[in-house]
Amino acid sequence: MTTFTSTISINKPVNEVFNYLADFNNHRQLMPDSIQEWVSSVDDASFSIPNMAKLSLKIDSRVTDEQVVIIPAAKPPFDLKLKWSLSFNNDHTDVVFTIDAELNMMLKMLASGPLQKLADHETQSLKTILS
């Protein structure tokens, strides 16, 4: 597994951050503008990445005020898991977004940069939206 991580702090209570992330409908706002054909519900989403793939994801588990785990709902081009981990410290919430991807050597060379950019983009978008 190759892991991509992005960490931020948001000046909001942990329950507010968790409630936002626990609804997949909100995740469209976290995605880059290049994402197309977004369709979502509270529990799942599908979308396409131009010149790459169409993905279907679902929320696998929610641990209130601690974690949201997202996995593929249909067979992706490579195995992956996305995880939002939350912890509340005094007056802010620390957020860690992790993408675990099973990449062969060729995919690792091609996808590592875009996947790290995606992780960073999603956390920065979350911070902007909730600040």
Side-chain angles (χ1 to χ4, degrees):
M1 270 297 174
T2 305
T3 301
F4 306 92
T5 304
S6 185
T7 305
I8 56 164
S9 290
I10 299 175
N11 292 323
K12 293 285 183 186
V14 70
N15 67 322
E16 191 172 327
V17 179
F18 174 82
N19 289 338
Y20 184 88
L21 292 171
D23 183 345
F24 228 142
N25 290 309
N26 294 327
H27 288 244
R28 174 63 187 110
Q29 297 171 298
L30 304 178
M31 293 286 184
D33 292 337
S34 60
I35 296 297
Q36 298 176 346
E37 302 171 25
W38 179 273
V39 178
S40 63
S41 70
V42 171
D43 295 318
D44 55 45
S46 64
F47 55 93
S48 63
I49 304 167
N51 304 318
M52 286 186 73
K54 184 165 178 87
L55 291 176
S56 293
L57 302 174
K58 65 180 179 180
I59 294 180
D60 182 52
S61 65
R62 295 175 179 92
V63 179
T64 303
D65 296 345
E66 290 180 24
Q67 182 174 283
V68 176
V69 177
I70 300 165
I71 61 171
K75 182 71 177 146
F78 50 86
D79 290 335
L80 76 150
K81 178 171 78 171
L82 298 88
K83 182 169 66 173
W84 292 92
S85 301
L86 310 173
S87 58
F88 191 66
N89 294 312
N90 297 326
D91 60 346
H92 67 277
T93 300
D94 291 327
V95 179
V96 179
F97 180 51
T98 306
I99 300 172
D100 288 321
E102 190 67 50
L103 303 173
N104 63 33
M105 196 55 89
M106 183 63 117
L107 275 175
K108 194 171 186 174
M109 290 180 358
L110 293 172
S112 288
L115 285 172
Q116 184 61 56
K117 284 182 184 175
L118 176 64
D120 293 339
H121 181 86
E122 288 205 33
T123 55
Q124 288 306 311
S125 294
L126 180 67
K127 186 172 185 164
T128 300
I129 290 164
L130 295 182
S131 293

